[in-house]
Structure formats: C-alpha cells, structure tokens
Coordinates of all heavy atoms in Angstrom, one line a residue:
M6 N 35.4 -22.1 -35.8 CA 35.0 -21.8 -34.4 C 33.5 -21.7 -34.4 O 32.9 -21.0 -35.1 CB 35.6 -20.5 -34.0 CG 35.2 -20.0 -32.6 SD 36.0 -18.5 -32.2 CE 35.4 -18.3 -30.5
T7 N 32.8 -22.4 -33.5 CA 31.4 -22.4 -33.3 C 31.0 -21.8 -32.0 O 31.8 -21.7 -31.1 CB 30.8 -23.8 -33.5 OG1 31.3 -24.7 -32.5 CG2 31.0 -24.3 -34.9
N8 N 29.8 -21.5 -31.8 CA 29.3 -20.9 -30.6 C 27.8 -21.2 -30.5 O 27.3 -22.1 -31.2 CB 29.5 -19.4 -30.7 CG 28.9 -18.8 -32.0 OD1 27.8 -19.1 -32.3 ND2 29.8 -18.1 -32.8
T9 N 27.1 -20.5 -29.6 CA 25.7 -20.8 -29.4 C 24.8 -19.8 -30.1 O 23.6 -19.8 -29.8 CB 25.3 -20.9 -27.9 OG1 25.7 -19.6 -27.3 CG2 26.1 -22.0 -27.2
F10 N 25.3 -19.0 -31.0 CA 24.5 -18.1 -31.8 C 23.5 -18.9 -32.6 O 23.8 -19.9 -33.2 CB 25.3 -17.2 -32.7 CG 26.1 -16.2 -32.0 CD1 27.3 -15.7 -32.6 CD2 25.8 -15.7 -30.7 CE1 28.0 -14.7 -31.9 CE2 26.5 -14.8 -30.1 CZ 27.7 -14.3 -30.7
R11 N 22.3 -18.4 -32.8 CA 21.2 -19.1 -33.5 C 21.0 -18.3 -34.8 O 20.9 -17.1 -34.8 CB 19.9 -19.1 -32.7 CG 18.8 -19.8 -33.4 CD 17.5 -19.9 -32.6 NE 17.8 -20.6 -31.3 CZ 17.8 -21.9 -31.2 NH1 17.5 -22.7 -32.2 NH2 18.0 -22.4 -30.0
C12 N 20.9 -19.0 -36.0 CA 20.7 -18.4 -37.3 C 19.2 -17.8 -37.3 O 18.3 -18.5 -36.9 CB 20.8 -19.4 -38.4 SG 20.4 -18.8 -40.0
T13 N 19.1 -16.5 -37.6 CA 17.8 -15.9 -37.7 C 17.0 -16.3 -38.9 O 15.8 -16.0 -39.0 CB 17.9 -14.3 -37.7 OG1 18.7 -13.9 -38.8 CG2 18.6 -13.9 -36.4
H14 N 17.6 -17.0 -39.8 CA 16.9 -17.5 -41.0 C 16.3 -18.9 -40.9 O 15.2 -19.1 -41.1 CB 17.9 -17.4 -42.2 CG 17.2 -17.8 -43.5 ND1 16.4 -16.9 -44.2 CD2 17.3 -18.9 -44.3 CE1 16.0 -17.5 -45.3 NE2 16.5 -18.7 -45.4
C15 N 17.1 -19.8 -40.4 CA 16.6 -21.2 -40.3 C 16.6 -21.8 -38.9 O 16.1 -22.8 -38.7 CB 17.5 -22.1 -41.2 SG 19.1 -22.5 -40.6
G16 N 17.3 -21.1 -37.9 CA 17.2 -21.5 -36.5 C 18.4 -22.4 -36.1 O 18.4 -22.8 -34.9
T17 N 19.3 -22.8 -37.0 CA 20.4 -23.6 -36.7 C 21.3 -22.9 -35.6 O 21.5 -21.8 -35.6 CB 21.3 -23.9 -37.9 OG1 20.5 -24.6 -38.8 CG2 22.5 -24.7 -37.6
V18 N 21.7 -23.7 -34.6 CA 22.6 -23.2 -33.6 C 24.1 -23.6 -33.9 O 24.3 -24.7 -34.4 CB 22.3 -23.8 -32.2 CG1 23.2 -23.4 -31.1 CG2 20.9 -23.4 -31.8
G19 N 25.0 -22.7 -33.7 CA 26.4 -22.9 -33.9 C 26.9 -22.3 -35.2 O 27.2 -23.0 -36.1
L20 N 26.9 -21.0 -35.3 CA 27.4 -20.3 -36.5 C 28.9 -20.2 -36.5 O 29.6 -20.2 -35.5 CB 26.8 -18.9 -36.5 CG 25.3 -18.8 -36.4 CD1 24.8 -17.3 -36.5 CD2 24.6 -19.6 -37.5
E21 N 29.4 -20.2 -37.7 CA 30.9 -20.2 -38.0 C 31.4 -18.7 -38.1 O 30.8 -17.9 -38.8 CB 31.2 -20.9 -39.3 CG 30.8 -22.3 -39.3 CD 31.0 -23.0 -40.6 OE1 30.8 -22.3 -41.7 OE2 31.4 -24.2 -40.7
L22 N 32.4 -18.4 -37.2 CA 32.9 -17.0 -37.2 C 33.8 -16.8 -38.5 O 34.5 -17.7 -38.9 CB 33.8 -16.8 -36.0 CG 34.6 -15.5 -35.9 CD1 33.7 -14.3 -35.9 CD2 35.5 -15.5 -34.7
G23 N 33.7 -15.6 -39.0 CA 34.5 -15.2 -40.2 C 34.6 -13.7 -40.3 O 34.3 -13.0 -39.3
F24 N 34.9 -13.2 -41.5 CA 34.9 -11.8 -41.7 C 34.6 -11.5 -43.2 O 34.8 -12.4 -44.0 CB 36.3 -11.1 -41.3 CG 37.5 -11.5 -42.1 CD1 37.9 -10.7 -43.1 CD2 38.1 -12.7 -41.8 CE1 39.0 -11.1 -43.9 CE2 39.3 -13.1 -42.5 CZ 39.7 -12.3 -43.6
V25 N 34.2 -10.3 -43.5 CA 33.9 -9.9 -44.8 C 35.2 -9.1 -45.3 O 35.5 -8.1 -44.7 CB 32.7 -9.0 -44.9 CG1 32.4 -8.5 -46.3 CG2 31.5 -9.7 -44.3
E26 N 35.8 -9.6 -46.4 CA 37.0 -8.9 -46.9 C 36.7 -7.8 -47.8 O 35.8 -7.9 -48.6 CB 37.8 -10.0 -47.6 CG 39.1 -9.4 -48.2 CD 39.9 -10.4 -49.0 OE1 39.3 -11.3 -49.6 OE2 41.1 -10.2 -49.1
D27 N 37.5 -6.7 -47.7 CA 37.4 -5.6 -48.6 C 38.7 -5.6 -49.4 O 39.8 -5.3 -48.8 CB 37.2 -4.3 -47.9 CG 37.1 -3.1 -48.8 OD1 37.2 -3.3 -50.1 OD2 36.9 -2.0 -48.3
S28 N 38.7 -5.9 -50.7 CA 39.9 -6.0 -51.4 C 40.0 -4.9 -52.5 O 40.8 -4.9 -53.4 CB 40.1 -7.3 -52.1 OG 39.0 -7.6 -52.9
G29 N 39.2 -3.8 -52.3 CA 39.3 -2.7 -53.2 C 40.5 -1.8 -53.1 O 41.4 -2.1 -52.3
Q30 N 40.6 -0.9 -54.0 CA 41.8 0.0 -54.0 C 42.0 0.7 -52.6 O 41.0 1.2 -52.1 CB 41.6 1.1 -55.1 CG 42.8 1.9 -55.3 CD 42.7 2.9 -56.4 OE1 41.7 2.9 -57.2 NE2 43.6 3.8 -56.6
N31 N 43.2 0.7 -52.1 CA 43.5 1.3 -50.8 C 42.8 0.7 -49.6 O 42.7 1.3 -48.6 CB 43.3 2.8 -50.8 CG 44.2 3.5 -51.8 OD1 45.3 3.1 -52.0 ND2 43.6 4.5 -52.5
A32 N 42.3 -0.6 -49.8 CA 41.5 -1.2 -48.7 C 42.4 -1.7 -47.6 O 43.6 -2.1 -47.9 CB 40.7 -2.4 -49.3
R33 N 41.9 -1.8 -46.4 CA 42.7 -2.4 -45.3 C 42.6 -3.9 -45.3 O 43.2 -4.5 -44.5 CB 42.2 -1.8 -44.0 CG 42.5 -0.3 -43.9 CD 42.1 0.2 -42.5 NE 42.6 1.6 -42.4 CZ 41.9 2.5 -41.8 NH1 40.7 2.3 -41.3 NH2 42.4 3.7 -41.7
G34 N 41.7 -4.4 -46.0 CA 41.5 -5.9 -46.1 C 40.3 -6.4 -45.3 O 39.9 -7.5 -45.3
Y35 N 39.6 -5.5 -44.6 CA 38.4 -5.9 -43.8 C 37.4 -4.7 -43.8 O 37.8 -3.6 -44.1 CB 38.8 -6.2 -42.4 CG 39.5 -5.1 -41.6 CD1 38.8 -4.2 -40.9 CD2 40.9 -5.0 -41.7 CE1 39.4 -3.1 -40.3 CE2 41.5 -4.0 -41.0 CZ 40.8 -3.0 -40.3 OH 41.4 -2.0 -39.7
T36 N 36.2 -5.0 -43.5 CA 35.2 -3.9 -43.5 C 34.9 -3.4 -42.1 O 35.2 -4.1 -41.2 CB 33.8 -4.5 -44.1 OG1 33.4 -5.6 -43.4 CG2 34.0 -4.8 -45.6
R37 N 34.4 -2.2 -42.0 CA 34.1 -1.6 -40.7 C 32.7 -1.0 -40.8 O 32.2 -0.6 -41.8 CB 35.1 -0.5 -40.4 CG 36.5 -1.1 -40.3 CD 37.5 0.0 -39.9 NE 37.5 1.0 -41.0 CZ 38.1 2.2 -40.9 NH1 38.7 2.5 -39.8 NH2 38.1 3.1 -41.8
W38 N 32.1 -0.8 -39.6 CA 30.8 -0.2 -39.5 C 31.1 1.2 -38.9 O 32.0 1.4 -38.0 CB 30.0 -0.9 -38.5 CG 28.7 -0.2 -38.1 CD1 27.5 -0.3 -38.8 CD2 28.5 0.7 -37.0 NE1 26.6 0.5 -38.2 CE2 27.1 1.1 -37.1 CE3 29.2 1.1 -36.0 CZ2 26.6 1.9 -36.1 CZ3 28.7 2.0 -35.0 CH2 27.4 2.4 -35.1
V39 N 30.5 2.3 -39.5 CA 30.7 3.6 -39.1 C 29.3 4.2 -38.7 O 28.3 4.1 -39.4 CB 31.3 4.5 -40.2 CG1 31.5 5.9 -39.8 CG2 32.6 3.9 -40.7
Q40 N 29.2 4.9 -37.5 CA 28.0 5.4 -37.0 C 27.5 6.6 -37.9 O 28.3 7.4 -38.3 CB 28.1 5.9 -35.6 CG 26.8 6.4 -35.0 CD 27.1 6.8 -33.5 OE1 28.1 7.3 -33.2 NE2 26.1 6.6 -32.7
G41 N 26.2 6.7 -38.2 CA 25.6 7.8 -38.9 C 25.5 7.6 -40.4 O 26.1 6.6 -40.9
A42 N 24.8 8.5 -41.0 CA 24.7 8.4 -42.5 C 26.0 8.7 -43.2 O 26.8 9.4 -42.7 CB 23.6 9.4 -42.9
L43 N 26.1 8.1 -44.4 CA 27.3 8.3 -45.2 C 27.5 9.8 -45.6 O 26.5 10.3 -46.2 CB 27.3 7.4 -46.4 CG 28.4 7.6 -47.5 CD1 29.8 7.3 -46.9 CD2 28.1 6.8 -48.7
E44 N 28.6 10.4 -45.3 CA 28.9 11.7 -45.8 C 30.2 11.6 -46.6 O 31.2 11.0 -46.1 CB 29.1 12.7 -44.7 CG 27.8 12.9 -43.9 CD 28.1 13.9 -42.7 OE1 28.8 14.9 -42.9 OE2 27.6 13.6 -41.6
K45 N 30.3 12.2 -47.8 CA 31.5 12.1 -48.6 C 32.2 13.4 -48.6 O 31.6 14.5 -48.6 CB 31.2 11.7 -50.0 CG 30.6 10.3 -50.1 CD 30.3 9.9 -51.5 CE 29.7 8.5 -51.6 NZ 29.3 8.2 -53.0
G46 N 33.6 13.4 -48.6 CA 34.4 14.5 -48.7 C 34.5 14.9 -50.2 O 33.9 14.4 -51.1
I47 N 35.4 15.9 -50.5 CA 35.5 16.4 -51.8 C 36.1 15.4 -52.8 O 35.9 15.6 -54.0 CB 36.4 17.8 -51.8 CG1 37.8 17.5 -51.3 CG2 35.6 18.9 -51.1 CD1 38.7 18.7 -51.4
F48 N 36.9 14.4 -52.3 CA 37.4 13.4 -53.2 C 36.6 12.1 -53.2 O 37.0 11.1 -53.7 CB 38.9 13.1 -52.8 CG 39.8 14.3 -52.9 CD1 40.3 14.9 -51.8 CD2 40.1 14.8 -54.1 CE1 41.1 16.0 -51.9 CE2 41.0 15.9 -54.3 CZ 41.5 16.5 -53.1
G49 N 35.4 12.2 -52.7 CA 34.5 11.0 -52.7 C 34.7 10.0 -51.6 O 34.1 9.0 -51.5
M50 N 35.7 10.3 -50.7 CA 35.9 9.4 -49.6 C 34.9 9.6 -48.4 O 34.5 10.8 -48.2 CB 37.4 9.6 -49.0 CG 38.4 9.3 -50.1 SD 38.6 7.6 -50.5 CE 39.3 7.0 -49.0
A51 N 34.6 8.6 -47.7 CA 33.7 8.7 -46.5 C 34.4 9.6 -45.4 O 35.5 9.4 -45.1 CB 33.3 7.4 -46.0
K52 N 33.6 10.5 -44.8 CA 34.1 11.3 -43.7 C 34.0 10.4 -42.4 O 32.9 10.0 -42.1 CB 33.3 12.6 -43.6 CG 33.5 13.5 -44.7 CD 32.8 14.8 -44.4 CE 33.0 15.9 -45.5 NZ 32.2 17.1 -45.2
L53 N 35.1 10.2 -41.7 CA 35.1 9.4 -40.5 C 35.4 10.2 -39.2 O 35.2 9.7 -38.1 CB 36.1 8.3 -40.6 CG 35.9 7.3 -41.8 CD1 37.0 6.3 -41.9 CD2 34.6 6.7 -41.8
R54 N 36.0 11.4 -39.3 CA 36.4 12.1 -38.2 C 35.4 12.3 -37.1 O 34.3 12.7 -37.3 CB 36.9 13.5 -38.6 CG 37.4 14.3 -37.4 CD 38.0 15.6 -37.8 NE 39.5 15.3 -38.0 CZ 40.3 15.9 -38.8 NH1 39.9 16.8 -39.5 NH2 41.6 15.5 -38.8
G55 N 35.8 11.8 -35.9 CA 34.9 12.0 -34.7 C 33.8 10.9 -34.6 O 33.0 11.0 -33.7
R56 N 33.7 10.0 -35.5 CA 32.6 9.0 -35.5 C 33.1 7.7 -34.9 O 34.2 7.3 -35.2 CB 32.1 8.7 -36.9 CG 31.4 9.9 -37.6 CD 31.1 9.5 -39.0 NE 30.1 10.4 -39.5 CZ 29.4 10.2 -40.6 NH1 29.5 9.0 -41.2 NH2 28.6 11.1 -41.1
P57 N 32.3 7.0 -34.2 CA 32.6 5.7 -33.7 C 32.8 4.7 -34.9 O 31.9 4.7 -35.8 CB 31.4 5.3 -32.8 CG 30.8 6.6 -32.4 CD 31.0 7.5 -33.6
V58 N 33.8 3.9 -34.9 CA 34.1 2.9 -36.0 C 34.3 1.6 -35.3 O 35.0 1.5 -34.3 CB 35.3 3.3 -36.8 CG1 35.7 2.3 -37.8 CG2 35.1 4.7 -37.4
R59 N 33.7 0.5 -35.8 CA 33.8 -0.8 -35.3 C 34.2 -1.8 -36.4 O 33.6 -1.7 -37.5 CB 32.5 -1.3 -34.6 CG 32.0 -0.4 -33.6 CD 32.8 -0.6 -32.3 NE 32.2 0.2 -31.2 CZ 32.7 1.3 -30.7 NH1 33.8 1.8 -31.2 NH2 32.1 1.9 -29.7
E60 N 35.0 -2.7 -36.1 CA 35.3 -3.8 -37.1 C 34.0 -4.7 -37.1 O 33.3 -4.8 -36.1 CB 36.5 -4.7 -36.7 CG 37.8 -3.9 -36.8 CD 39.0 -4.8 -36.4 OE1 38.8 -6.0 -36.2 OE2 40.1 -4.2 -36.3
I61 N 33.8 -5.3 -38.3 CA 32.6 -6.2 -38.4 C 33.0 -7.6 -38.3 O 34.0 -8.1 -39.0 CB 31.9 -5.9 -39.8 CG1 31.4 -4.5 -39.9 CG2 30.8 -7.0 -40.1 CD1 30.9 -4.1 -41.2
E62 N 32.3 -8.4 -37.5 CA 32.4 -9.8 -37.4 C 31.3 -10.4 -38.2 O 30.2 -10.0 -38.1 CB 32.3 -10.3 -36.0 CG 33.6 -10.0 -35.1 CD 33.5 -10.6 -33.7 OE1 32.4 -11.1 -33.3 OE2 34.5 -10.7 -33.1
A63 N 31.6 -11.5 -39.0 CA 30.6 -12.1 -39.8 C 30.4 -13.6 -39.3 O 31.4 -14.2 -39.1 CB 30.9 -12.1 -41.2
Y64 N 29.2 -14.0 -39.1 CA 28.9 -15.4 -38.8 C 28.1 -16.1 -39.9 O 27.1 -15.5 -40.3 CB 28.2 -15.5 -37.4 CG 29.1 -15.1 -36.3 CD1 29.2 -13.7 -35.9 CD2 29.7 -16.0 -35.5 CE1 30.0 -13.4 -34.9 CE2 30.5 -15.6 -34.5 CZ 30.6 -14.3 -34.1 OH 31.4 -13.9 -33.1
R65 N 28.5 -17.3 -40.3 CA 27.8 -18.0 -41.4 C 27.2 -19.2 -40.8 O 27.7 -20.0 -40.1 CB 28.8 -18.4 -42.5 CG 28.1 -19.0 -43.7 CD 29.2 -19.5 -44.7 NE 29.7 -20.8 -44.2 CZ 29.2 -22.0 -44.4 NH1 28.0 -22.1 -45.0 NH2 29.8 -23.1 -43.9
C66 N 25.9 -19.4 -41.2 CA 25.2 -20.6 -40.8 C 25.7 -21.8 -41.6 O 25.7 -21.7 -42.9 CB 23.7 -20.4 -41.0 SG 22.7 -21.9 -40.6
P67 N 26.1 -22.9 -41.0 CA 26.6 -24.0 -41.7 C 25.5 -24.8 -42.4 O 25.7 -25.6 -43.3 CB 27.2 -24.9 -40.6 CG 26.5 -24.5 -39.4 CD 26.2 -23.1 -39.5
S68 N 24.2 -24.5 -42.1 CA 23.1 -25.2 -42.7 C 22.6 -24.5 -44.0 O 22.4 -25.1 -45.0 CB 21.9 -25.4 -41.8 OG 22.3 -26.2 -40.7
C69 N 22.3 -23.2 -43.9 CA 21.7 -22.5 -45.0 C 22.6 -21.4 -45.6 O 22.2 -20.7 -46.5 CB 20.4 -21.9 -44.6 SG 20.5 -20.4 -43.4
S70 N 23.8 -21.2 -45.0 CA 24.8 -20.2 -45.5 C 24.4 -18.7 -45.2 O 25.0 -17.8 -45.8 CB 25.2 -20.4 -46.9 OG 25.8 -21.7 -47.1
H71 N 23.3 -18.5 -44.5 CA 22.9 -17.1 -44.1 C 24.0 -16.4 -43.3 O 24.6 -17.1 -42.5 CB 21.6 -17.2 -43.3 CG 21.1 -15.9 -42.9 ND1 20.5 -15.0 -43.7 CD2 21.2 -15.3 -41.6 CE1 20.2 -13.9 -43.0 NE2 20.5 -14.0 -41.8
L72 N 24.3 -15.1 -43.6 CA 25.3 -14.4 -42.9 C 24.6 -13.5 -41.9 O 23.6 -12.8 -42.1 CB 26.1 -13.5 -43.8 CG 27.0 -14.2 -44.8 CD1 27.8 -13.2 -45.6 CD2 28.0 -15.1 -44.0
E73 N 25.2 -13.4 -40.7 CA 24.8 -12.5 -39.6 C 26.0 -11.6 -39.4 O 27.2 -12.1 -39.2 CB 24.5 -13.3 -38.3 CG 23.4 -14.3 -38.4 CD 22.0 -13.7 -38.3 OE1 21.9 -12.5 -37.9 OE2 21.0 -14.3 -38.6
L74 N 25.9 -10.3 -39.4 CA 27.0 -9.4 -39.2 C 26.8 -8.6 -37.9 O 25.7 -8.2 -37.6 CB 27.0 -8.3 -40.4 CG 27.1 -8.9 -41.8 CD1 27.1 -7.8 -42.8 CD2 28.4 -9.7 -41.9
F75 N 27.9 -8.4 -37.2 CA 27.9 -7.7 -35.9 C 29.0 -6.7 -35.9 O 30.1 -7.0 -36.3 CB 28.1 -8.7 -34.7 CG 26.9 -9.7 -34.6 CD1 27.0 -10.9 -35.2 CD2 25.8 -9.4 -33.9 CE1 26.0 -11.8 -35.1 CE2 24.8 -10.3 -33.7 CZ 24.9 -11.5 -34.4
A76 N 28.7 -5.5 -35.4 CA 29.7 -4.5 -35.2 C 30.4 -4.8 -33.9 O 29.8 -4.6 -32.8 CB 29.1 -3.1 -35.2
N77 N 31.7 -5.2 -34.0 CA 32.4 -5.7 -32.8 C 32.7 -4.5 -31.8 O 33.3 -3.6 -32.2 CB 33.7 -6.3 -33.3 CG 34.5 -7.0 -32.2 OD1 34.3 -6.7 -31.0 ND2 35.4 -7.9 -32.5
V78 N 32.3 -4.7 -30.6 CA 32.5 -3.6 -29.6 C 33.9 -3.5 -29.1 O 34.4 -2.6 -28.5 CB 31.6 -3.7 -28.4 CG1 30.1 -3.5 -28.8 CG2 31.7 -5.0 -27.7
R79 N 34.8 -4.6 -29.4 CA 36.1 -4.6 -29.0 C 37.1 -3.9 -29.9 O 38.3 -3.8 -29.6 CB 36.6 -6.0 -28.8 CG 35.8 -6.8 -27.8 CD 36.3 -8.2 -27.8 NE 35.9 -8.8 -29.1 CZ 35.6 -10.1 -29.3 NH1 35.7 -10.9 -28.3 NH2 35.2 -10.5 -30.5
A80 N 36.6 -3.4 -31.0 CA 37.5 -2.7 -32.0 C 38.0 -1.4 -31.6 O 37.4 -0.7 -30.8 CB 36.7 -2.6 -33.3

C-alpha cells in the first residue's frame, strides 16, 4: 500500500505501510507507543496503568529503506 507520505531522509514520495514485530517472550506480536518516561514495576515490566497507549505504524521508503514510525491515533 502506498500513499503520499514523503521520506524525511531522501524525499521519495509513496512510502510502504508495514509494522514493527515484537517476537519476544510474552509479546503480542506488535510494538506500541506509551506516553511518558519508562517506569518499571517490581518484576521489571513497564508500568502502563492510566497511560495512553497507541499501536505503531511503520512506513518504509522504497528507495532508501528509511523507516518512519507513527503512533496510530486509531488504536
């Protein structure tokens, strides 16, 4: 899927939509953006309670492979 987004690295128009996969232990399979600085609980997990969380959309430039990441407001 292409669009009219412009690569901030080389200026090419028409970035390819994708996502960044998280395949670590207990991962949901995709990454998310969380508002605020990282705070860890007693077991080392990130504290998320009460924080806005957004799925991340990734766009790749077909010319130079630069990635642009956006916190999706529809999440």
